[in-house]
Amino acid sequence: MDAGAPGESALASHQPVERGLLRRRLLEFAAVCLVVTWVPWALLGALGMNIEEGFGLLVFALAASGPSLAALIMWLRRRGESRPGPRTRWSLGAPVAAVLLGGIAPVGAAFLVNLNDLSAIPDHAASVVADVGGPLIALVYTLLAGPIAEEFGWRGYVQPRLRQVYSRVATTAVLGAAWGLWHVPLFFLPGTGQHDDDLFTQHGLVFFLSLFPLTYLMLFVTERLRGGVLAAILMHAAWNLSDELAPISGNGGLWLKFLILLTTAAVVALRWHRRLP
């Protein structure tokens, strides 16, 4: 909750939060995450290895799982510590909301951009799915590459610890920035989608800007709707999959997608502030 509202800090318990200890844990996580991810990616880039097949793909995939692997390492080292944050309450609402919130911006922008030829949307989606080997492979790849590889770290480990001492907005700012920083090497690694977009372009700018409203929406489905990491995985997957399947051309479509995403986050923030169900 934002500053001034009750019940937002120390979500896991009513015990005082030791900020020094919390800071050390987060710094430890960051160090492990960057070593697991950035070192292999740097070696792949320096050696010019192909990350789309063979050993290069294996190393790249393991490195891309750095956030979740770092969370696992931290858990194994600190198994006696209690987990902060609200417990997951299994219900249909959180997963459904996660999928809808994850897909609304790419699908909505594609619909508006292709309003004069809506058949372009299913045609493009079918082509993308066929290129990766079918719908099952597309679904499995979408869940593994990003959602499962990252969310146990970002939303499972970092977010609930930040929320012990920070407001929703501050948590979004810190976690969104960390999430973006972690992605930076991908813009210099041939074979990645980020490298194809280029860092110093409007695509690169929108990529980083989008992480902040996405972070807020994931905070909403994981904390307010109590969907936990599962909801974050589903929302991340919905965003990635719809972003690939929905055809959006030109910088106009790119900014339209971001505007829809930002508006969605603003509406959710307003409703959350008013505490409406």
Side-chain angles (χ1 to χ4, degrees):
M1 177 178 288
D2 299 323
E8 284 288 333
S9 61
L11 290 175
S13 70
H14 298 291
Q15 299 300 320
V17 177
E18 219 290 33
R19 292 193 177 216
L21 177 62
L22 182 64
R23 186 181 301 112
R24 289 195 296 274
R25 293 291 179 266
L26 291 174
L27 288 175
E28 288 175 11
F29 171 87
V32 173
C33 183
L34 294 183
V35 168
V36 172
T37 297
W38 281 14
V39 172
W41 281 353
L43 290 174
L44 288 173
L47 296 174
M49 296 184 66
N50 183 359
I51 67 168
E52 298 181 291
E53 61 182 14
F55 183 70
L57 175 59
L58 177 61
V59 173
F60 175 80
L62 288 174
S65 301
S68 289
L69 290 176
L72 175 61
I73 292 171
M74 294 298 295
W75 179 80
L76 291 174
R77 290 186 61 198
R78 313 286 181 183
R79 278 179 289 183
E81 293 183 358
S82 60
R83 178 192 179 280
R87 299 299 179 181
T88 299
R89 181 181 61 200
W90 298 103
S91 66
L92 186 61
V96 170
V99 172
L100 291 176
L101 291 173
I104 188 172
V107 173
F111 179 82
L112 294 175
V113 168
N114 297 280
L115 200 56
N116 294 327
D117 184 17
L118 293 179
S119 63
I121 299 177
D123 290 346
H124 176 80
S127 175
V128 171
V129 170
D131 287 343
V132 299
L136 181 59
I137 294 178
L139 181 60
V140 171
Y141 177 79
T142 300
L143 285 171
L144 292 176
I148 293 178
E150 299 178 31
E151 292 307 334
F152 288 100
W154 302 134
R155 255 53 67 169
Y157 189 88
V158 177
Q159 177 183 285
R161 284 164 176 80
L162 289 175
R163 288 291 286 131
Q164 287 187 287
V165 293
Y166 292 126
S167 68
R168 294 196 296 261
V169 173
T171 296
T172 297
V174 173
L175 185 50
W179 196 13
L181 177 64
W182 180 82
H183 280 89
V184 168
L186 293 177
F187 286 89
F188 303 96
L189 189 60
T192 66
Q194 286 83 1
H195 182 269
D196 294 339
D197 288 338
D198 196 356
L199 178 61
F200 303 105
T201 63
Q202 293 189 55
H203 280 80
L205 176 60
V206 171
F207 175 85
F208 287 108
L209 290 178
S210 297
L211 297 181
F212 292 96
L214 279 173
T215 297
Y216 188 89
L217 290 173
M218 287 192 184
L219 178 60
F220 174 73
V221 298
T222 55
E223 180 180 307
R224 176 64 179 87
L225 300 185
R226 293 182 177 269
V229 177
L230 173 62
I233 290 173
L234 290 175
M235 183 175 166
H236 196 155
W239 170 267
N240 285 358
L241 187 61
S242 59
D243 198 36
E244 287 293 326
L245 298 183
I248 300 174
S249 59
N251 291 329
L254 184 71
W255 286 102
L256 176 61
K257 179 179 67 175
F258 174 70
L259 179 60
I260 295 175
L261 176 64
L262 190 62
T263 302
T264 302
V267 171
V268 168
L270 180 62
R271 292 181 63 85
W272 196 357
H273 177 72
R274 291 180 175 177
R275 291 194 171 276
L276 294 179

